[in-house]
Amino acid sequence: MDIQKFAQLCKKIVQGSDVSAFINNESRHSSKIAEMARDQRVLPLWAYAVTAKDDMSARSVDKIVQTPVNYLMTNMRMKAQLLEIDKHLQGTNIRPILLKGAVQLFDGVYPSIGMRYMADIDILVNDEKFGLALRELGYVQKNPSICDNYDTYGKPILKLGQRHLTPVMRPNDSVTIEPHLLAVDPMYLHLFPRDFASTAIPTPGCSQLMQPSRQNYMIVALIHGLLHDRDRLDGALLLRSLIECELLYEQFSELEKEALTQHFLKCRSQSFFIAWRALADWLFLGDKLAHRRSIGSFILITGFKLRARGY
């Protein structure tokens, strides 16, 4: 199956469309499709598509795909971790901002939080007391041999190219928490919205945990989804981020879309916005001429094609 057809299939799954006929037609290629889903970080979506409704709690679909209940329970445990942290922070002035997938656990584009592949929990912190709060809850560094640097006032210092401190976790937790001091890589700070922290809003169901405004969430998601770690196969240009950005963009009003366009225009990065829309239209709409919109569009679409082939 080519990557365009697979991307359109995944988007339909999130939107609740009936894809059973397609699944039946492609049954002989199910293992290869599952591998593609794994590589593109959308394995939970494929699980929802191929698992029979009366068999939602089975142990697994095959060697690669777990059933939806497995992904759902994993993400519910992560959400419970965050709710525990929020409760522990009550009565303080500590208000961390959730990033990326952590937001999707509370206010996502998916019908079920189990549809989102999660590898860790990203939280933007600007108060060193947050680390103390985590230690009080039993969190320790995943790798004790790695030490963070601190200045004479006890504030952490990032190393070159670093965005977050050493990940922390507890023995019974399934994933780590990454305390971010920067929401994006320093080389992309020119794209980062200046009002990111000031316009953050309370996360649904929480009193202390915050989340970015919808527009700022989109901006950071685009930076992560299209630019971060492009030199690594587990970095940017994966379907998971592109699908989320597209679904959220479709929810935007015309005023919100115009504000997003103006943001990149003010950053002198209109070419970045044009290239993203070209990639999205090529991927989800099958626009065969999208690569001709700009040089950046050609480079981004070509880069995505190569990434999808494992380069």
Side-chain angles (χ1 to χ4, degrees):
M1 181 189 298
D2 67 73
I3 192 65
Q4 280 178 297
K5 186 182 293 185
F6 183 63
Q8 292 162 19
L9 172 69
C10 289
K11 188 165 176 277
K12 289 179 180 178
I13 294 170
V14 179
Q15 293 172 325
S17 302
D18 183 6
V19 297
S20 56
F22 179 88
I23 298 298
N24 293 334
N25 291 336
E26 297 289 336
S27 58
R28 65 188 183 279
H29 302 303
S30 59
S31 295
K32 290 185 178 180
I33 297 174
E35 291 175 1
M36 183 186 294
R38 177 194 59 198
D39 295 342
Q40 294 293 328
R41 305 296 187 269
V42 291
L43 204 51
L45 292 182
W46 183 242
Y48 271 82
V50 301
T51 305
K53 292 183 179 180
D54 58 354
D55 194 29
M56 294 287 279
S57 60
R59 300 186 74 183
S60 65
V61 178
D62 56 31
K63 293 181 180 180
I64 298 178
V65 187
Q66 299 296 310
T67 52
V69 72
N70 294 98
Y71 300 111
L72 176 62
M73 293 303 295
T74 297
N75 288 4
M76 286 182 67
R77 286 195 294 269
M78 283 187 251
K79 185 173 182 177
Q81 281 180 251
L82 290 169
L83 288 171
E84 180 186 20
I85 292 172
D86 181 74
K87 183 177 180 180
H88 188 71
L89 294 177
Q90 289 180 10
T92 73
N93 292 323
I94 306 173
R95 286 183 170 81
I97 302 176
L98 302 184
L99 299 173
K100 302 192 291 184
V103 175
Q104 294 294 324
L105 295 175
F106 293 88
D107 188 19
V109 296
Y110 301 93
S112 167
I113 63 171
M115 286 184 166
R116 213 277 184 181
Y117 172 80
M118 298 282 294
D120 52 35
I121 297 173
D122 299 281
I123 304 179
L124 181 66
V125 297
N126 56 8
D127 192 326
E128 55 270 24
K129 294 178 183 177
F130 181 69
L132 177 61
L134 290 183
R135 286 196 292 273
E136 291 172 350
L137 289 172
Y139 287 89
V140 296
Q141 287 189 355
K142 181 182 179 181
N143 189 346
S145 64
I146 300 178
C147 297
D148 295 316
N149 296 322
Y150 294 85
D151 63 17
T152 55
Y153 300 98
K155 293 186 178 181
I157 303 173
L158 293 177
K159 301 175 184 177
L160 183 64
Q162 194 179 17
R163 297 191 299 271
H164 59 78
L165 301 176
T166 304
V168 298
M169 69 181 306
R170 297 177 297 191
N172 295 325
D173 292 335
S174 56
V175 299
T176 61
I177 291 179
E178 292 187 349
H180 283 250
L181 300 187
L182 294 174
V184 300
D185 191 282
M187 68 186 299
Y188 303 125
L189 284 176
H190 65 287
L191 298 174
F192 187 67
R194 296 180 180 179
D195 63 352
F196 188 82
S198 64
T199 59
I201 58 177
T203 298
C206 299
S207 61
Q208 301 300 116
L209 296 180
M210 309 291 283
Q211 68 181 52
S213 67
R214 192 154 77 155
Q215 176 168 306
N216 286 345
Y217 175 86
M218 171 70 92
I219 294 168
V220 172
L222 287 172
I223 295 171
H224 279 276
L226 274 65
L227 298 174
H228 271 183
D229 304 321
R230 286 274 289 274
D231 58 335
R232 294 166 42 191
L233 285 179
D234 61 346
L237 291 183
L238 297 176
L239 271 186
R240 179 188 63 183
S241 298
L242 296 174
I243 290 171
E244 288 176 11
C245 288
E246 191 63 14
L247 290 170
L248 182 58
Y249 188 68
E250 289 177 356
Q251 294 177 7
F252 272 25
S253 66
E254 291 304 315
L255 287 176
E256 288 176 309
K257 290 180 179 179
E258 178 60 24
L260 188 65
T261 304
Q262 289 300 316
H263 169 79
F264 289 107
L265 183 62
K266 291 177 182 177
C267 296
R268 299 183 179 180
S269 298
Q270 190 177 19
S271 58
F272 171 76
F273 181 84
I274 292 172
W276 165 53
R277 292 315 307 153
L279 173 60
D281 289 347
W282 172 81
L283 191 59
F284 299 112
L285 300 179
D287 186 343
K288 296 180 180 180
L289 301 179
H291 65 283
R292 296 185 180 181
R293 296 182 191 178
S294 65
I295 294 176
S297 301
F298 177 82
I299 293 173
L300 190 61
I301 292 173
T302 302
F304 179 82
K305 289 179 180 179
L306 291 172
R307 174 58 59 87
R309 294 174 184 173
Y311 293 102

